[in-house]
Amino acid sequence: MNDKINLNYLENYAHDVSEKICSEYFGTKRYMSGQEIIQLTPSSQVNFMVIKTLFEKWNAELEKLKANPYFDYKDMAVSEALKEFMNVLSRAIKIEHHHFLPLLEIAVIDTVLLALDPMVYFWGEIEKSQGSSPHGHLKASRKYIKWHENMLNELMEKGGHGYADQYKTALSDTYQQLLDQLAEPKPLLEGLAQVQPIVWEQLLPETKKKNHIEDATPDETPLHNESPEAEDLEETQVDSEEKVEAVEKNAFGSHEKDIDPALAWAKFEAEQSGILKGPITSMDDGLAINQRFMFTKKLFDGNPDLMGHAFKSIDECDSFVEAIDLVNDRYVDELNWDKESDEVNEFLHLIYRKFDEK
């Protein structure tokens, strides 16, 4: 999927859908049970994504327990007891409204991403392995992922018990191999669209632009000699576009200059846009799945460790200006960043969210 997803629209859509579903359900009930989650929406994939998130949260808690040095969690009896405990616990799911809403929002976003761009989605799943082989995580997740199963199975076969880098290479190969066989996103998302229609032109704005260009005919193209008024209007529009372009370029500096933190801050403060709005405690906390993939590939030469080090260094900065200075010193020239690109724009906006003051 080459069309860029509008993260602002996707987040707002996920929030609106989740609010609607939760308002209807919790209007008469206090708790959500596991069986009710499975039947919650017309999209079975959304329902399973919620269960998948709960399963992952349980595993996170279990890892904390295993970190305790006083008990042998590899003991067979302990292992069997934990499995039985999980089975009992899974039949006792009981979630209140304010806890369930964010789970559902994540499930909707993950579902849309899986439908639109399975490569980015599975890249995010590989990242969850955190230094271990992704095989175990993907194997456990397979029961909850109902779309692009052939891609997931092929990925696991090629990746074997290798680590993240091997899986990412296998993912790229698998995606190219199965690209023509992947299901179209619109039919996959029909169940979700029954709850609330998806405005595809907003979700995938690049598709709208391409369709507009392809549908245009010579008769629809304005002629320069139609009238003096038409020429004036066109010149005014060009001047306006040039001014906007100049402001955006100045916000990040020219190719010969570093990013200007003051101009960048002013630009983002004026925009206050959707998914990139609101403070975050750390760079990693504010990162969407497809942003992680995009930043790693486009800004950090495909090296997730390099990006992780950059995030840690930025988190240790005391201000937005200090963070931008760090980015200028270490990455902009060294990694040959295009300061006018969408990737750099989103990366800088993530830094903006990290700091409450200049």
Side-chain angles (χ1 to χ4, degrees):
M1 183 82 193
N2 295 321
D3 298 313
K4 185 174 180 180
I5 300 170
N6 182 344
L7 298 180
N8 180 18
Y9 175 81
L10 177 55
E11 185 189 59
N12 290 333
Y13 176 82
H15 177 75
D16 292 344
V17 168
S18 301
E19 283 280 13
K20 183 176 182 179
I21 293 170
C22 287
S23 295
E24 292 177 358
Y25 178 87
F26 289 103
T28 57
K29 298 181 180 180
R30 183 175 178 183
Y31 300 105
M32 175 80 69
S33 71
Q35 187 58 39
E36 287 167 323
I37 292 173
I38 294 297
Q39 303 170 344
L40 183 62
T41 77
S43 173
S44 60
Q45 185 59 78
V46 170
N47 304 338
F48 278 109
M49 283 294 190
V50 177
I51 299 295
K52 178 176 178 292
T53 301
L54 290 174
F55 171 76
E56 290 172 355
K57 288 185 177 296
W58 157 254
N59 276 341
E61 291 300 317
L62 185 58
E63 289 304 313
K64 291 179 183 179
L65 284 175
K66 289 181 178 179
N68 190 309
Y70 306 116
F71 305 100
D72 182 9
Y73 283 91
K74 294 181 181 179
D75 182 87
M76 186 174 295
V78 174
S79 179
E80 290 300 321
L82 284 173
K83 288 180 182 178
E84 180 59 25
F85 177 51
M86 179 59 188
N87 290 333
V88 173
L89 201 62
S90 66
R91 296 191 292 270
I93 294 174
K94 187 178 181 181
I95 312 175
E96 294 185 2
H97 186 171
H98 66 285
H99 288 136
F100 186 75
L101 180 62
L103 292 178
L104 186 56
E105 289 181 355
I106 292 171
V108 172
I109 290 173
D110 284 351
T111 296
V112 174
L113 188 59
L114 175 61
L116 293 177
D117 203 332
M119 182 172 178
V120 169
Y121 176 81
F122 288 124
W123 178 284
E125 291 299 293
I126 292 170
E127 287 285 305
K128 291 179 181 178
S129 59
Q130 295 182 342
S132 61
S133 172
H135 181 83
H137 172 75
L138 293 174
K139 182 178 179 181
S141 300
R142 187 160 52 181
K143 68 180 76 171
Y144 306 111
I145 298 175
K146 304 302 179 181
W147 299 340
H148 308 305
E149 292 171 286
N150 57 336
M151 183 175 175
L152 177 55
N153 292 334
E154 185 73 18
L155 169 62
M156 292 180 64
E157 183 176 339
K158 288 184 176 181
H161 288 83
Y163 287 89
D165 288 344
Q166 182 175 331
Y167 262 84
K168 288 172 182 176
T169 300
L171 174 61
S172 180
D173 294 342
T174 301
Y175 180 74
Q176 294 301 325
Q177 175 187 337
L178 300 177
L179 182 59
D180 294 337
Q181 303 175 30
L182 296 176
E184 290 295 321
K186 285 189 178 182
L188 293 178
L189 295 173
E190 280 182 357
L192 191 56
Q194 290 177 25
V195 180
Q196 180 159 311
I198 298 172
V199 182
W200 288 92
E201 292 80 4
Q202 294 187 36
L203 179 60
L204 300 172
E206 294 300 320
T207 302
K208 179 181 178 182
K209 291 179 183 178
K210 285 193 291 186
N211 290 341
H212 178 73
I213 293 171
E214 291 170 358
D215 293 342
T217 65
D219 292 339
E220 295 171 329
T221 305
L223 299 177
H224 288 287
N225 60 357
E226 284 180 354
S227 67
E229 292 79 10
E231 291 183 1
D232 292 342
L233 180 61
E234 183 174 316
E235 289 176 1
T236 301
Q237 183 177 355
V238 170
D239 289 342
S240 177
E241 290 173 351
E242 288 177 347
K243 288 178 181 178
V244 171
E245 184 178 355
V247 170
E248 291 180 345
K249 286 183 179 180
N250 286 336
F252 305 113
S254 67
H255 285 288
E256 291 75 32
K257 297 180 180 179
D258 288 341
I259 295 164
D260 187 321
L263 290 175
W265 179 278
K267 178 180 185 293
F268 295 137
E269 193 171 41
E271 285 180 349
Q272 291 293 323
S273 57
I275 196 167
L276 300 177
K277 180 181 179 181
I280 54 177
T281 56
S282 70
M283 292 286 288
D284 199 63
D285 286 344
L287 199 62
I289 293 176
N290 56 344
Q291 285 180 315
R292 182 181 294 278
F293 175 81
M294 176 176 64
F295 292 159
T296 303
K297 183 177 180 181
K298 299 290 187 179
L299 300 183
F300 293 96
D301 290 340
N303 187 338
D305 292 333
L306 181 60
M307 184 178 73
H309 184 269
F311 279 9
K312 182 178 179 181
S313 298
I314 292 169
D315 284 340
E316 292 173 352
C317 291
D318 294 325
S319 69
F320 180 78
V321 171
E322 183 181 340
I324 297 301
D325 286 343
L326 182 147
V327 169
N328 282 326
D329 290 341
R330 297 186 184 178
Y331 306 111
V332 174
D333 291 329
E334 188 71 24
L335 298 176
N336 194 29
W337 284 8
D338 178 0
K339 296 184 283 292
E340 299 166 28
S341 68
D342 290 339
E343 296 82 23
V344 171
N345 180 63
E346 291 191 24
F347 188 80
L348 295 179
H349 210 314
L350 197 64
I351 298 175
Y352 167 79
R353 295 176 61 199
K354 172 68 179 69
F355 296 96
D356 292 330
E357 60 184 13
K358 298 179 185 178

